Amino acid sequence: MKPRPPPSLKPSPKHLRTLSRANSPSEGIGGKWVSELWPNHFQVDVVREAFGPRLAGYTIALEAWRRGLRVRFFDSNLRKFEITDGKRKIKFDKSRPHLTTSEAVKIEQDKHLTSTYLSKAGVPVPNSWIIDPTAEDAEQKLRHLVAEAGYPVVLKPLRGSMGRDVYTNLRTEEQLLETYRHLRENTAAPKLILEQHFTGEDYRVLVVGDRLVAACLRKPANVTGDGTSTIDELIKAKNAVRRNNPYLCKKPITPDREVHEYLAKQNYTLTSIPAEGIPVQLRGKANASQGGDSIDKTAEIPAAVKDAAVRAVAAIPGLAIAGVDILYDARRSPVEDSFRVIELNSRPEIEINMYPWEGSGQDAPQHILDVFFPDTRRSADSGMEKLALDLEQLLAPLKGASAEQVLVRKKPTHNYPVRSWYRHGLSSPLSADKRNRIYLAARQASVSGRIWAEGNSGYLALFGTEDRVQKFIRLADKHLHLDHSSAQHWTGVVTQGFRIDG
């Protein structure tokens, strides 16, 4: 019976099953598990060590390393890293390359200035005005501008992200002034933006260079009734599924005050039992960080919306990559009047497009490397999608502050054609001397692999060429007592380097 490889080398079965049939598309779209719809080169087992905030940096760096480029990490959170082909060197801050200029970032962070640039480029944007809360006549100016703009309106900070302190669909003067006074007294925003409200669904479009890479629809946090479970139980079940998504795992639905208030508006509480198939919205904002869903729409959004997203990025001088936030109403016509570009983000979360709650995940790292290193291409060799970086080993010097940077060893050109595992006959932990001799054998043979034990059984995984694997076996067999008859082909993740667990 084939042994179960250690957790970092093989996906746990819980990543491939549905925990809540009513609240997860994991039962399949067209008969496929959701994980099968995510990018083939960045499946769960390959990115497991980078679940959460490290995901963007890891997937971009991994794609570069697989292409034979040099990768250097500057922090253990994988926020700062560098990629070079020997001629061109690009430093990244997560998904943002240094090719994006400081001036572009300055423009992008100022929502009103962004709208000005986009409007001049002919990109549809809502009309907007700046409000200075420190001005004595601020409320009077607010009333005057609303009289000109007409309700409903939006009020939000001039700078900000992730939907924080953004209030939409304000329909009365009472709502507007109450919101304005709340923002004035409870936020650090020196200036606010008053904006005409546009009704439409919330889309995030990823643009790299002049290439539209992905588009997804963002939905506010929600659950769907099954006729037997309470809303609280549905939330817990959905969160259990979200924990298995590399991107959504750190973004649960939290039943806070807003959720309670939103339920009350629908005559629900957490103990209510919605009928089967009835959707229950839990928040007003479509933010994944607050439990929202993402649904891939890359193939479905109209050409006019795609074109506007690309033109929006081109309108900001020095902007190399961006997430473009768009409100789009498919019911409106003509299509040119069915959407508005709301904001840009120069450091987009590419993971939202890679690991959607529903639909096909888009291979953003491949597009990013194609655009920024056009002379390189992803290898078509079999098994490339299983190559990964051993983050625990690589980042230990950065995590322990014993190094300022880590240069990843270049991937061998042979791509590890021989991948095998064996049982070994060791009945007790390796002595320090034997460990050193095995590590020396791995270096001399130029192989990668891993030795570990489970219960009373010990295992060895080896990766390299046929002659190098056999050389290691000749050098190390006397220390490991391998059962050569147990040799089988390894189908799990392949990491560079050699390690002995336990």
Side-chain angles (χ1 to χ4, degrees):
M1 178 177 166
K2 184 174 180 178
R4 178 176 60 85
S8 62
L9 296 183
K10 185 179 180 181
S12 166
K14 70 180 181 180
H15 287 270
L16 299 176
R17 70 169 179 256
T18 301
L19 298 183
S20 171
R21 192 169 186 170
N23 290 290
S24 170
S26 297
E27 279 293 330
I29 300 169
K32 291 186 176 182
W33 296 97
V34 164
S35 62
E36 294 177 5
L37 296 175
W38 296 336
N40 186 48
H41 280 68
F42 301 100
Q43 280 291 314
V44 169
D45 51 350
V46 169
V47 302
R48 183 185 306 282
E49 285 191 83
F51 268 32
R54 302 197 296 184
L55 198 55
Y58 177 63
T59 54
I60 294 171
L62 178 58
E63 175 69 16
W65 176 76
R66 285 171 171 172
R67 294 185 183 212
L69 300 173
R70 302 309 303 267
V71 176
R72 191 185 305 266
F73 293 117
F74 297 98
D75 69 88
S76 60
N77 293 320
L78 304 187
R79 177 166 180 164
K80 305 285 188 181
F81 59 99
E82 176 186 277
I83 298 171
T84 181
D85 61 3
K87 297 179 181 177
R88 189 179 207 197
K89 183 185 297 182
I90 299 179
K91 291 186 176 180
F92 282 84
D93 180 350
K94 289 193 174 181
S95 64
R96 182 169 66 204
H98 81 270
L99 304 176
T100 291
T101 64
S102 58
E103 182 63 26
V105 173
K106 179 181 178 181
I107 295 170
E108 165 263 323
Q109 291 179 344
D110 184 321
K111 298 175 183 179
H112 185 71
L113 188 57
T114 297
S115 292
T116 301
Y117 272 82
L118 299 190
S119 180
K120 288 181 180 179
V123 177
V125 295
N127 291 327
S128 63
W129 301 267
I130 294 179
I131 302 295
D132 183 356
T134 63
E136 292 184 3
D137 62 344
E139 286 196 13
Q140 181 180 347
K141 181 180 179 182
L142 191 60
R143 290 190 182 95
H144 174 75
L145 289 173
V146 172
E148 177 184 337
Y151 287 102
V153 293
V154 175
L155 199 61
K156 59 186 179 181
L158 183 67
R159 300 173 183 271
S161 62
M162 302 180 75
R164 294 189 187 96
D165 297 318
V166 176
Y167 293 86
T168 65
N169 202 24
L170 302 175
R171 293 184 168 273
T172 66
E173 182 174 300
E174 181 182 3
Q175 286 181 330
L176 175 66
L177 292 179
E178 181 182 346
T179 301
Y180 165 74
R181 290 163 186 164
H182 168 78
L183 289 174
R184 181 187 62 193
E185 295 167 9
N186 295 285
T187 70
K191 293 184 179 179
L192 305 174
I193 290 182
L194 177 71
E195 186 176 89
Q196 284 185 320
H197 179 86
F198 185 86
T199 301
E201 293 188 298
D202 187 350
Y203 283 75
R204 163 56 67 90
V205 179
L206 177 62
V207 177
V208 183
D210 60 357
R211 178 186 299 192
L212 186 139
V213 169
C216 67
L217 169 64
R218 298 188 289 195
K219 290 278 192 181
N222 65 88
V223 292
T224 302
D226 62 7
T228 61
S229 303
T230 66
I231 290 176
D232 187 51
E233 290 170 337
L234 293 171
I235 290 173
K236 289 176 179 175
K238 188 167 186 176
N239 282 341
V241 179
R242 291 173 74 92
R243 284 195 292 271
N244 299 324
N245 181 299
Y247 170 62
L248 299 175
C249 61
K250 306 293 185 183
K251 304 176 187 294
I253 302 170
T254 304
D256 55 15
R257 179 181 176 182
E258 181 188 0
V259 169
H260 284 279
E261 291 177 350
Y262 219 86
L263 288 174
K265 292 177 184 178
Q266 304 167 77
N267 296 318
Y268 286 127
T269 68
L270 287 176
T271 59
S272 300
I273 300 176
E276 184 174 0
I278 298 299
V280 180
Q281 189 168 326
L282 303 173
R283 297 188 188 278
K285 299 172 187 175
N287 294 102
S289 61
Q290 297 180 7
D293 298 340
S294 58
I295 303 170
D296 181 69
K297 295 288 183 180
T298 306
E300 299 173 34
I301 60 171
V305 179
K306 294 180 179 179
D307 176 68
V310 174
R311 288 191 292 115
V313 175
I316 309 299
L319 188 58
I321 182 175
V324 184
D325 292 341
I326 298 176
L327 292 177
Y328 166 55
D329 185 352
R331 299 167 298 180
R332 294 182 65 162
S333 61
V335 66
E336 289 76 17
D337 191 43
S338 66
F339 65 92
R340 297 289 186 273
V341 175
I342 305 301
E343 296 176 10
L344 302 180
N345 189 317
S346 67
R347 191 174 57 214
E349 287 190 313
I350 63 172
E351 314 96 295
I352 194 173
N353 299 110
M354 296 177 68
Y355 303 99
W357 176 254
E358 183 179 328
S360 298
Q362 303 303 313
D363 198 332
Q366 181 178 20
H367 289 283
I368 290 172
L369 269 293
D370 283 349
V371 170
F372 297 139
F373 289 92
D375 293 334
T376 69
R377 283 294 178 268
R378 175 183 286 173
S379 171
D381 286 1
S382 175
M384 283 296 294
E385 74 280 359
K386 290 294 185 179
L387 294 187
L389 297 175
D390 188 335
L391 293 182
E392 183 181 347
Q393 277 195 332
L394 273 175
L395 301 180
L398 292 172
K399 194 171 183 179
S402 61
E404 294 181 349
Q405 53 186 263
V406 169
L407 176 64
V408 181
R409 185 179 179 185
K410 196 171 183 180
K411 179 189 68 66
T413 56
H414 58 62
N415 296 327
Y416 304 102
V418 175
R419 304 175 184 188
S420 304
W421 67 266
Y422 306 79
R423 290 186 179 91
H424 65 69
L426 298 177
S427 57
S428 58
L430 288 165
S431 65
D433 180 63
K434 283 189 175 182
R435 281 174 174 261
N436 290 335
R437 291 178 184 276
I438 292 171
Y439 278 127
L440 176 61
R443 290 196 299 273
Q444 290 175 335
S446 296
V447 296
S448 291
R450 191 167 190 173
I451 296 173
W452 75 99
E454 289 190 9
N456 296 323
S457 300
Y459 304 100
L460 164 69
L462 275 179
F463 318 127
T465 60
E466 182 64 35
D467 60 326
R468 292 178 181 180
V469 166
Q470 292 305 317
K471 181 177 180 179
F472 173 83
I473 291 174
R474 289 195 302 271
L475 293 170
D477 198 6
K478 61 184 177 181
H479 305 298
L480 290 171
H481 309 298
L482 294 179
D483 177 2
H484 295 271
S485 66
S486 69
Q488 292 189 43
H489 177 61
W490 176 268
T491 59
V493 172
V494 173
T495 54
Q496 181 168 262
F498 199 92
R499 63 185 296 175
I500 301 172
D501 294 341

